[in-house]
Amino acid sequence: MTRLLAALFGRLPIGWLQLGHNRMRMAAAVVGVAFANVLVMMQLGILGAIGGTVDRSYAPVRADILVSASDASTLSDGSPVARALMYRALAVPGVAGAAPLYVGRADWTRPDGTTAVLHVYGLLPEAAGFAGPAAAAGLPLLTRADTVLLDRRIRSVRPGSLPNFDARAPLEFELQGLRLSAVGSFEVGGGITADGALIASDQTFLRLFPRRIAGAPSHLLIDIAPGVDPAAVAAQVAAVLGRGLQLRPMAEAMAADRHYQITQRPVGVVFGFGVFIGLLVGLVIVYQVLSTDVADHLREYATFKAMGYPPRFFLSVIFEEALVLAVAGFVPGMALATLLYQILERASGLPVVMTPERPVLVFLGTVLACTISGALATRRLAAADPADLY
Amino acid sequence: MGDPIVISGLSHWFGAGEARKQALFDIDLRVARGSLTVLMGPSGSGKTTLLTLIGCLRDVQAGSVRLLGTELHGLAPPAQVRMRRRLGFIFQGHNLHEALSARQNVRMALGVQGRGDPRAQDRAAEHMLGLLGLAERVAYLPANLSGGQKQRVAIARALVANPEVVLADEPTAALDLDSGLNMVRLLRRLGRARGTTSVMVTHDPRILDLADRILTLEDGRLVGDRPGKGAEI
Ligand SMILES: Nc1ncnc2c1ncn2[C@@H]1O[C@H](COP(=O)(O)OP(=O)(O)OP(=O)(O)O)[C@@H](O)[C@H]1O
Ligand SMILES: [Mg+2]
């Protein structure tokens, strides 16, 4: 380590030796940085999981363009859209197809008394082109009334507690007073507002939600013909449909939804704030440690000044310390966070996963925070006056 | 080449306003190359102030200090920093870095010069520590050295980079008699062999015997200037 740093800085690694000399201080700082790292990692993990559940909630459908009411910030909220508009959109040249999407929420009380909140997606079985990866295989099976595809990863339903079921051996169950048979399955899992999902035909959906009407789906799905300019067609469709609607490419709608969950909804804001707090905690701890360390070595620093060391030497010593603390805190912090991710994922059913770029980002953030703390701590250096040594 | 230290009309004040107090009055002084000069005088007479002015550790306020051909009055901070690299300081306290071994402490004086690879620096540091009788202690941390040994490490650190001028303020206070004399003899040898110029504040009479020249300060004025017995040796 000493050699590595010596090669890196081209001098004796004073900062490292100095930190290593005071084990208690070093340990306190490393624990502090690791703690801040874990804090930030957990917050980011949860924010990422929120984003992940958003992505999952779009898995049953696909389309080039999603048309929603202007007050709909996610698939399952907002006002419905008039189906009549769909026919107007279909008349626009360059529109290859369109279909309604119905979304509702239902409580599934199971025979054992447990309840799961399900997002129910109503799709046209014949419009297979608008079935997303989760629904593509099973959608054609839904032409028979009261058949559905059931989520295999519903939170609060223990994996394995559902018997195997498929088209030949459907799973019969009751939802909102209607007997349904699950003839196929897919995997979406729980999110912030639901524990799982259910895919049905538009007809079955309307039987499940008698108060919803066929003429007012939740969203419209639109496909654009290949070879035409999608932006131009979208603009034309928008003009035809009139005001009060959002018309977005699917990816854009998903991004806006993620952004909405993280910045507008309380859960997202709380955890976003947590990231900030984690950074602040790390910053304060490192500043505290580095500035006491500078204060404790003022005579030595003054001696080095008398020997002709320039100001940048002292900066580099403090940055060396900051770097050592960043690395030493990051490694255990990262290990602990990875472990906590697994525990949290198992406990919450949310997709809390370590993305490959997150450790890199957090490490860079740690180095940056440590460097800022170091820069603040260098203000104490001015007190090292070599004239006071005699 | 002229004298390494040429001082004329040097005055110095501390404090401001009511509390302003003059510590040095119109000092004129030339110090010859390779000589060992002892500075003595009662407490508060300005010895340390004069030493810090010569050593670029304080800004010159009035008068002139020419050190190694460079005027220090009005010298910019970066040039001051470069000038200090040509000097060796021995302080009352050893001021060793607690986390560095004796060898690493001494190496710090070579590192600032940017000369030699680390291994050559280690060898030079070990050689200098050997001259001061610390060959067996090169890898020790200051906490494991006696007071006198620490002071000798500090002396090795001051001398290892071949400074042109050595400034020492009561360096023998922490040393036993033998080590003190040994150190002063080393400074004399360096003076004869390399032309190292030394100025040392001390009250130790046995050291006065080794000096080439003895200066006396009183109340900020130079009141005595006589050759020491060392000049005859
Ligand atoms: N940093 C300072 N601020 C204010 N006054 C100072 C300062 N340093 C020295 N003085 C004053 O300047 C005068 C000369 O001090 P100096 O330290 O040079 O004396 P000295 O001869 O080295 O004394 P000693 O033998 O006690 O070390 C003294 O009156 C002292 O009080
Ligand atoms: Mg003094």
Side-chain angles (χ1 to χ4, degrees):
Chain A
M1 190 67 193
T2 305
R3 275 212 212 119
L4 179 78
L5 286 167
L8 187 62
F9 286 91
R11 57 166 171 76
L12 268 182
I14 315 262
W16 158 249
L17 293 168
Q18 204 164 291
L19 283 171
H21 191 72
N22 193 333
R23 292 282 155 81
M24 280 306 293
R25 180 176 295 163
M26 170 97 168
V30 167
V31 169
V33 173
F35 173 75
N37 258 311
V38 169
L39 214 57
V40 169
M41 279 286 190
M42 294 320 288
Q43 315 292 339
L44 288 178
I46 291 166
L47 284 179
I50 293 174
T53 63
V54 168
D55 290 355
R56 280 181 181 177
S57 71
Y58 285 79
V61 294
R62 69 145 296 283
D64 290 337
I65 290 176
L66 181 73
V67 180
S68 320
S70 56
D71 60 351
S73 34
T74 177
L75 276 185
S76 54
D77 72 359
S79 315
V81 180
R83 190 177 51 180
L85 295 175
M86 184 180 85
Y87 300 112
R88 278 203 236 159
L90 276 169
V92 173
V95 170
L101 167 65
Y102 303 85
V103 182
R105 205 184 318 214
D107 287 339
W108 179 28
T109 306
R110 302 183 61 215
D112 62 5
T114 58
T115 305
V117 180
L118 299 181
H119 276 154
V120 182
Y121 297 79
L123 286 162
L124 263 47
E126 62 275 20
F130 291 106
L139 194 65
L141 302 174
L142 301 183
T143 40
R144 266 188 40 222
D146 299 345
T147 55
V148 296
L149 308 176
L150 183 62
D151 194 347
R152 274 234 163 255
R153 290 178 52 180
I154 299 168
R155 181 169 46 210
S156 80
V157 172
R158 262 183 309 110
S161 79
L162 283 181
N164 276 328
F165 58 89
D166 57 21
R168 270 170 301 165
L171 173 73
E172 307 277 335
F173 65 100
E174 193 165 312
L175 186 67
Q176 316 245 87
L178 196 67
R179 277 214 76 74
L180 298 173
S181 16
V183 293
S185 64
F186 59 93
E187 295 196 350
V188 163
I192 301 294
T193 50
D195 300 313
L198 186 81
I199 300 174
S201 69
D202 54 333
Q203 296 306 322
T204 307
F205 180 92
L206 293 169
R207 282 162 59 78
L208 272 170
F209 299 93
R211 299 231 294 271
R212 296 287 299 266
I213 50 171
S218 308
H219 306 269
L220 299 179
L221 307 170
I222 294 180
D223 264 357
I224 287 170
V228 297
D229 177 10
V233 176
Q236 262 176 289
V237 172
V240 167
L241 296 189
R243 297 154 73 84
L245 291 173
Q246 308 185 70
L247 211 104
R248 294 167 299 179
M250 201 56 143
E252 194 181 294
M254 287 167 73
D257 195 346
R258 279 195 299 267
H259 184 74
Y260 166 77
Q261 301 290 346
I262 288 167
T263 60
Q264 304 292 311
R265 289 181 51 98
V267 225
V269 174
V270 163
F271 288 108
F273 190 63
V275 174
F276 174 73
I277 293 293
L279 278 174
L280 205 66
V281 166
L283 215 103
V284 168
I285 291 174
V286 173
Y287 169 74
Q288 203 55 42
V289 166
L290 290 184
S291 65
T292 25
D293 194 62
V294 169
D296 283 357
H297 292 92
L298 280 183
R299 287 191 75 80
E300 286 92 331
Y301 288 151
T303 308
F304 291 149
K305 276 190 188 172
M307 284 158 66
Y309 278 97
R312 65 167 188 282
F313 167 79
F314 303 96
L315 296 186
S316 91
V317 168
I318 290 171
F319 288 137
E320 175 195 335
E321 292 189 318
L323 189 68
V324 166
L325 292 181
V327 174
F330 174 77
V331 173
M334 180 70 196
L336 187 59
T338 310
L339 187 72
L340 289 175
Y341 271 22
Q342 286 164 11
I343 295 173
L344 190 63
E345 173 153 37
R346 214 163 302 151
S348 70
L350 296 175
V352 189
V353 287
M354 189 68 83
T355 58
E357 75 277 2
R358 190 171 301 149
V360 178
L361 268 174
V362 170
F363 180 68
L364 290 180
T366 308
V367 171
L368 187 72
C370 287
T371 305
I372 292 172
S373 313
L376 292 174
T378 57
R379 292 182 312 167
R380 290 218 173 181
L381 275 176
D385 182 357
D388 295 337
L389 289 171
Y390 275 119
Chain B
M1 198 172 129
D3 291 331
I5 304 171
V6 182
I7 297 173
S8 59
L10 177 67
S11 294
H12 198 82
W13 291 263
F14 284 110
E18 290 282 295
R20 189 166 156 94
K21 180 172 174 294
Q22 189 160 6
L24 291 178
F25 294 82
D26 200 22
I27 308 278
D28 291 305
L29 176 68
R30 298 179 84 89
V31 177
R33 198 171 126 83
S35 64
L36 171 61
T37 301
V38 160
L39 194 56
M40 44 186 282
S43 180
S45 58
K47 307 180 294 290
T48 297
T49 307
L50 181 57
L51 222 52
T52 53
L53 284 166
I54 297 173
C56 281
L57 299 180
R58 261 182 222 296
D59 291 335
V60 177
Q61 296 170 345
S64 152
V65 177
R66 288 191 73 80
L67 178 66
L68 300 164
T70 303
E71 174 58 55
L72 300 188
H73 194 164
L75 193 65
Q80 287 182 358
V81 168
R82 280 196 299 279
M83 178 56 85
R84 285 183 206 148
R85 293 181 199 157
R86 301 170 68 181
L87 314 177
F89 293 97
I90 306 172
F91 306 100
Q92 252 162 318
H94 55 79
N95 297 326
L96 296 180
H97 197 299
E98 54 170 8
L100 302 183
S101 69
R103 177 174 39 212
Q104 288 170 328
N105 264 294
V106 175
R107 249 185 72 178
M108 288 304 294
L110 293 165
V112 71
Q113 310 282 348
R115 279 196 309 235
D117 60 285
R119 233 173 288 157
Q121 290 184 2
D122 273 344
R123 275 199 304 278
E126 282 165 19
H127 175 73
M128 188 47 85
L129 285 165
L131 287 182
L132 286 149
L134 291 170
E136 313 292 311
R137 298 278 188 275
V138 293
Y140 282 46
L141 288 176
N144 301 324
L145 296 171
S146 72
Q149 288 169 338
K150 280 188 270 210
Q151 186 62 1
R152 281 185 278 156
V153 174
I155 293 164
R157 181 178 60 186
L159 301 182
V160 70
N162 281 333
E164 293 162 76
V165 172
V166 174
L167 301 169
D169 199 348
E170 306 198 41
T172 57
L175 295 179
D176 58 70
L177 178 61
D178 276 353
S179 310
L181 289 178
N182 186 28
M183 180 208 105
V184 181
R185 288 198 196 98
L186 181 61
L187 285 181
R188 277 179 55 93
R189 274 214 308 282
L190 291 175
R192 301 288 184 269
R194 298 173 179 165
T196 308
T197 308
S198 302
V199 179
M200 182 188 300
V201 173
T202 187
H203 292 102
D204 192 329
R206 276 160 298 236
I207 288 172
L208 294 184
D209 288 347
L210 292 168
D212 295 314
R213 184 180 178 189
I214 299 167
L215 300 172
T216 311
L217 269 180
E218 245 167 57
D219 291 332
R221 292 183 174 84
L222 207 50
V223 296
D225 183 353
R226 59 188 164 92
K229 291 196 186 127
E232 300 153 16
I233 305 172

